[in-house]
Amino acid sequence: MDFQARRLRRGEMLAAAAALVLLVDLFALSWYTVSAGALSASANGWDVLTVSRWFILLAVAAAFALAWAQATHPAPALPSSLSVIATVLALIAAIILVFRVLLTLPGPDDALVQTGADAGAYIGLLAALVMFAGSLWSLREEDPPDPERNAAIPVVRLEDGPTGQPG
């Protein structure tokens, strides 16, 4: 199994690139700022999303596995299965982030404490949505005919007898 980047389709490339952005964003950028009067503190997504981070990491791993499987396997079975898994996990991660970024911000329910979403949270949400779109695109995308790639897939004809001879 050698890695051949030419096997990657646009869907896998998009999903893997968005997964990389989401992974870096989860650790490197500020997602939320909590302010209480003159004091304020910010935190990244990894520190704030204590339960959700595991679903996000699972979706990122599935997107990376999808790209790796597509680039290393000439037969379509494993990449097709991973397309389904990556699509479902990316959708779950996107729904979680829509909820945590747009609908319910983490933090205390106190009138004196204000919680706001920073750019990192919106970048993470966008990356999760793009990862879902790339995984879905990969699921729906068909390869153009490639005789070299198709020759690597073993074919058994139904009309062949047990000796390999026709009928």
Side-chain angles (χ1 to χ4, degrees), residues 140-153:
R140 299 179 50 87
E141 191 173 23
E142 294 183 18
D143 283 337
D146 182 2
E148 177 186 329
R149 198 166 150 197
N150 292 342
I153 301 172

Side-chain angles (χ1 to χ4, degrees), residues 66-114:
L66 170 62
W68 175 81
Q70 183 64 35
T72 58
H73 289 81
L78 183 61
S80 296
S81 300
L82 283 173
S83 289
V84 173
I85 294 168
T87 301
V88 170
L89 291 175
L91 178 62
I92 292 170
I95 290 171
I96 288 170
L97 288 178
V98 163
F99 181 73
R100 296 305 282 172
V101 174
L102 299 179
L103 301 177
T104 306
L105 296 176
D109 291 332
D110 189 354
L112 300 175
V113 178
Q114 300 292 324

